[in-house]
Amino acid sequence: RGAASAAAQAAAEQGTARTNLVGAINSALDITLERDPTACIFGEDVAFGGVFRCTAGLGEKHGAHRVFNTPLCEQGIAGFGVGLAAQGHTAIAEIQFADYIFPAFDQLVNEAAKYRYRSGGAFDVGGLTVRAPCGAVGHGGHYHSQSPEAYFAHTPGLVVVMPRGPREAKGLLLSSIRSRDPTIVLEPKALYRTAVEEVPEGDFEIPLGVADVVREGSDITLVGWGAQVHVLSAAAEKAEAELGVDCEVIDLRTLLPWDRATVEASAQKTGRLIVSHEAPVTAGLGAEIVAHVADRCFLRMESPPLRVCGYDTPFPLVHECYYVPDELRVIEAIKKSIQF
């Protein structure tokens, strides 16, 4: 908590610029390359700026030996990153879409996550950061819309991060790159250019493992991450205007390790909890959060914790608007919880 306050103070003292999420990521990567001579960025098409332009201009500025393309082989990208980090470099890999991270699953889960443990602390790959665009985008279908965070949040040894906007994206990415644990940063691609806000222009970090209370409230707690935080915030405004319900909205920001203390304190205060995410409901991260709150806050709860999530189907194309949990589904869950 003290680290979070110090980081907020440092950021507040800097000048800011209105920036979208792509620009914030680009700025974080630029700062890293400038300040860390061991840092390299690699992945499919990153030398040309990447399909979403997050690395635009970095190859020209810092050199082709530090920002370079790889073959179309996600397992190779992750394996190369593990080896580079094991030799003491800062390895920043880009997986072009999170849907295609699964060929790299073995390298991330069985190699990167366990490297320090199996060497008895003698070696680590803490310098590895893997970026991947994730989530619904309006037209991506089942191969360009998935949110795979729960797969990785089940793996001790990894850190998993998902920002909700440009400021969080820059601060969390810089913290992830400098963390001494291998980190997966999942970036909601729908927000790349739609999310715009004031972002510190210089170097700043947002501590990992610390949630953000986006909106304080007293009647019910809404927990989400990434783009879903904006859905929850909209639902909170609607609930207050139409139902007179005062919602507290929490952005987890870091999904592994997640901030149990903040969520628990909020649930103890409000007595009600809803967790919402785009990924399918069964075995999603929301199940872990609900189980923890039921275990720790049972006697203070006024109603059962609820989940508002994607359905247990492949991500649909034409039915995306029905699949992705929107503010109306959240409002219905709020009503159910309040009327219990």
Side-chain angles (χ1 to χ4, degrees):
R1 223 35 81 186
S5 299
Q9 177 68 26
E13 293 172 356
Q14 295 186 35
T16 63
R18 194 158 176 79
T19 309
N20 64 20
L21 201 144
V22 166
I25 292 167
N26 185 275
S27 177
L29 295 174
D30 187 29
I31 288 170
T32 299
L33 290 169
E34 283 184 344
R35 301 195 173 189
D36 182 351
T38 74
C40 294
I41 298 172
F42 49 93
E44 297 161 18
D45 300 326
V46 298
F48 313 133
V51 294
F52 295 104
R53 312 305 295 160
C54 290
T55 55
L58 298 181
E60 294 85 345
K61 181 176 180 180
H62 299 283
H65 63 297
R66 302 187 67 198
V67 182
F68 49 88
N69 294 332
T70 65
L72 201 162
C73 178
E74 287 78 12
Q75 184 182 27
I77 293 169
F80 175 75
V82 169
L84 197 63
Q87 295 302 309
H89 287 261
T90 296
I92 306 168
E94 179 182 299
I95 302 296
Q96 200 164 81
F97 288 88
D99 310 68
Y100 299 126
I101 203 169
F102 299 113
F105 198 73
D106 180 61
Q107 286 294 323
L108 296 172
V109 168
N110 277 335
E111 302 300 335
K114 297 172 174 62
Y115 211 93
R116 179 185 286 116
Y117 180 82
R118 72 176 188 160
S119 70
F123 306 100
D124 69 75
V125 293
L128 174 64
T129 301
V130 179
R131 297 178 40 251
C134 70
V137 72
H139 53 266
H142 49 289
Y143 287 139
H144 295 84
S145 305
Q146 296 175 82
S147 296
E149 64 268 19
Y151 292 101
F152 297 104
H154 192 66
T155 306
L158 294 177
V159 173
V160 183
V161 170
M162 191 186 297
R164 73 173 183 272
R167 185 183 181 280
E168 274 68 28
K170 182 174 181 178
L172 290 170
L173 181 54
L174 284 168
S175 291
S176 298
I177 291 168
R178 293 162 181 168
S179 164
R180 295 316 303 161
D181 294 298
T183 303
I184 297 173
V185 180
L186 297 169
E187 301 163 358
K189 56 185 174 289
L191 302 181
Y192 269 151
R193 287 176 174 79
T194 60
V196 181
E197 63 185 351
E198 293 292 326
V199 178
E201 294 182 287
D203 190 342
F204 82 104
E205 298 179 26
I206 293 176
L208 302 176
V210 180
D212 183 27
V213 180
V214 177
R215 185 185 195 275
E216 293 190 355
S218 58
D219 296 331
I220 189 168
T221 299
L222 311 180
V223 176
W225 47 90
Q228 202 61 20
V229 175
H230 300 283
V231 174
L232 295 178
S233 296
E237 296 294 332
K238 190 178 183 70
E240 183 174 42
E242 298 182 5
L243 307 175
V245 176
D246 188 17
C247 302
E248 182 147 295
V249 179
I250 296 176
D251 175 11
L252 279 190
R253 302 197 293 197
T254 304
L255 310 183
L256 182 68
W258 63 278
D259 188 351
R260 290 167 170 80
T262 294
V263 174
E264 186 178 324
S266 181
Q268 294 271 14
K269 177 178 70 173
T270 66
R272 295 179 174 87
L273 172 70
I274 294 172
V275 184
S276 185
H277 54 69
E278 288 184 15
V281 62
T282 297
L285 188 56
E288 168 64 22
I289 297 167
V290 163
H292 178 82
V293 168
D295 179 44
R296 300 285 295 176
C297 310
F298 183 78
L299 295 178
R300 298 295 297 272
M301 300 304 289
E302 300 289 342
S303 65
L306 300 174
R307 290 172 291 163
V308 181
C309 307
Y311 297 113
D312 290 332
T313 70
F315 197 103
L317 177 58
V318 356
H319 298 305
E320 178 176 314
C321 59
Y322 303 110
Y323 177 90
V324 176
D326 60 12
E327 65 182 83
L328 296 180
R329 282 177 61 190
V330 176
I331 285 289
E332 290 305 308
I334 291 172
K335 290 178 182 177
K336 182 178 179 180
S337 180
I338 293 294
Q339 295 169 1
F340 179 79

